[in-house]
Amino acid sequence: MTTVEFSPAAEPLAAKLLEPALEILGRYPAGRERSALLPLLHLVQTEEGFVSPNGVAFCADLLGINKAQVGAVATFYTMYKRRPTGEYLVSVCTNTLCNVMGGQEVYDELSEHLGVGHDETTPDGRITLEHAECLAACDYAPVVTVNYDFTVDQATPESAVELVDSLRKGERPTPARGARICSLREMQVQLAGFADPREGAVADGVAGAPTLRGVRLAQEHGVAVAGFDPDTPITKTKPARDETALPPKPAEPAESRLAAVAKKVAGTVKSAVGTVSGAVTARTGDVKDPEVRAAESRNPTADTPGEPETTSPAPTTPAEKAGVASNEPAGDGKPAGDSTRGERIVSEQAAANKPIPSVKEEGK
């Protein structure tokens, strides 16, 4: 994908971000470029600080999808901001453990000190304050992050206020641990998948004691990985696999008991069906359709059939004789009125059912 027709709304961003956007698309297989929407939204935020309507149009045009699809993703994830955000996004964890340890008090103090509430920005554009559901650092509770990097561990209202005052002065204090503090737009560059261009950007922060606890215990008890050399450089390419070092392939799994039973039942049913089929063939001597066989038995020579028998079986009891004494002989099956006999029957029934004329009242 090298040429894209951008709408007027997307053109300003396309002029600035098309080259890195195409680099992001190149990370995905052909036909799967739509998966690049997440880093592209972060890329948009590097320029504008939030996902603007123009940013939505840019992503939609680039990926060949509609703006509603882009907006659905941008409104789902809290890391995508839909209105201008400050240079520093200060997040205070107020979830269960951090709240118990004083997270709500930290947030309340910052809110009063800065004069803003959740997802609001100070008038100078420096600080945006927000509640955070969980920052995945329960062993450091309560915690405060700046642009998603851990900055204050085991925070107090006083330490949090000191942090934001330093940021508003243009300073970038050393975080409690982790990478060097950066602006929100600089963080979006990293989230879009590009390396932080600043010299030593990840070298400032120190590791916290809870993070190093496992290492300390291993050193105290002499636990180490056999043959491990911490100075061994990490290769950037995957080494060729040594087939001889691979364990032998496991044998094919034995047939399960359930599968064996099902197979046995299927064989039994098939055998039974074959036996019944053979018995039927042996008894009938052929495999003709039953209707064909019945027709042949009625008219073996297939000539023109004669007139159907019209005689009825003779009654065998006095009750049957009394019941059929007045019955008309069976006809040819034609509807009443279509033959002389039928006409006679209809006329007799009409005469028998003819209503009696009403007698007029005397004097009328």
Side-chain angles (χ1 to χ4, degrees):
M1 181 184 299
T2 55
T3 58
V4 181
E5 293 185 4
F6 289 102
S7 61
E11 285 180 354
L13 280 177
K16 301 176 181 179
L17 301 178
L18 182 57
E19 184 176 350
L22 292 178
E23 182 177 341
I24 291 174
L25 292 183
R27 302 169 187 167
Y28 296 85
R32 302 285 184 176
E33 292 86 356
R34 182 173 175 176
S35 298
L37 178 57
L38 298 181
L40 284 175
L41 288 170
H42 285 299
L43 182 66
V44 167
Q45 293 191 141
T46 66
E47 185 64 31
E48 298 187 312
F50 71 111
V51 180
S52 64
N54 291 345
V56 171
F58 171 73
C59 292
D61 292 347
L62 188 64
L63 297 176
I65 57 180
N66 59 53
K67 291 185 286 188
Q69 292 170 305
V70 177
V73 175
T75 55
F76 182 83
Y77 297 101
T78 59
M79 294 178 75
Y80 300 124
K81 307 302 180 183
R82 295 311 308 273
R83 57 183 180 179
T85 306
E87 184 178 359
Y88 299 103
L89 175 66
V90 177
S91 307
V92 182
C93 182
T94 55
N95 212 330
T96 307
L97 184 55
C98 281
N99 205 348
V100 170
M101 301 299 291
Q104 187 62 49
E105 287 78 3
V106 172
Y107 176 85
D108 291 341
E109 182 66 26
L110 284 177
S111 179
E112 183 176 351
H113 180 72
L114 296 172
V116 296
H118 170 68
D119 202 25
E120 293 181 351
T121 304
T122 56
D124 60 7
R126 286 283 190 175
I127 307 292
T128 295
L129 180 65
E130 71 171 4
H131 278 284
E133 279 301 309
C134 182
L135 298 177
C138 297
D139 45 354
Y140 295 96
V143 292
V144 177
T145 63
V146 175
N147 298 331
Y148 310 116
D149 272 334
F150 295 111
T151 306
V152 182
D153 293 332
Q154 299 173 340
T156 63
E158 294 75 22
S159 63
V161 168
E162 182 182 352
L163 167 69
V164 297
D165 284 346
S166 177
L167 293 174
R168 297 183 77 178
K169 293 176 183 177
E171 302 172 355
R172 294 191 178 187
T174 302
R177 58 193 170 92
R180 181 187 302 175
I181 291 178
C182 63
S183 70
L184 182 61
R185 296 192 185 191
E186 290 171 334
M187 174 55 68
Q188 297 303 316
V189 173
Q190 300 174 49
L191 293 175
F194 298 96
D196 191 328
R198 295 174 299 158
E199 182 67 26
V202 296
D204 285 351
V206 296
T211 303
L212 298 175
R213 182 59 178 161
V215 177
R216 298 283 185 255
L217 288 173
Q219 292 174 345
E220 291 175 9
H221 297 280
V223 179
V225 178
F228 174 71
D229 181 6
D231 296 327
T232 302
I234 299 175
T235 59
K236 295 184 178 180
T237 58
K238 186 176 180 180
R241 185 170 65 173
D242 184 3
E243 298 291 344
T244 60
L246 295 177
K249 292 184 179 180
E252 292 293 331
E255 188 176 47
S256 67
R257 183 179 180 184
L258 181 61
V261 171
K263 187 175 181 180
K264 183 176 180 180
V265 170
T268 303
V269 172
K270 185 176 181 180
S271 176
V273 171
T275 302
V276 172
S277 177
V280 171
T281 303
R283 183 172 61 253
T284 61
D286 58 39
V287 291
K288 292 181 179 179
D289 185 272
E291 293 184 1
V292 174
R293 189 179 301 107
E296 291 180 350
S297 65
R298 290 194 300 269
N299 188 7
T301 60
D303 56 0
T304 303
E307 293 296 326
E309 297 180 0
T310 58
T311 57
S312 301
T316 57
T317 64
E320 289 180 355
K321 292 178 181 179
V324 301
S326 60
N327 285 356
E328 292 288 340
D332 57 4
K334 294 181 180 180
D338 285 358
S339 63
T340 303
R341 172 179 172 275
E343 293 173 355
R344 179 174 58 79
I345 293 175
V346 171
S347 60
E348 290 178 354
Q349 289 180 347
N353 296 330
K354 185 176 181 180
I356 299 175
S358 61
V359 180
K360 294 184 179 180
E361 295 182 10
E362 187 176 353
K364 291 185 180 180

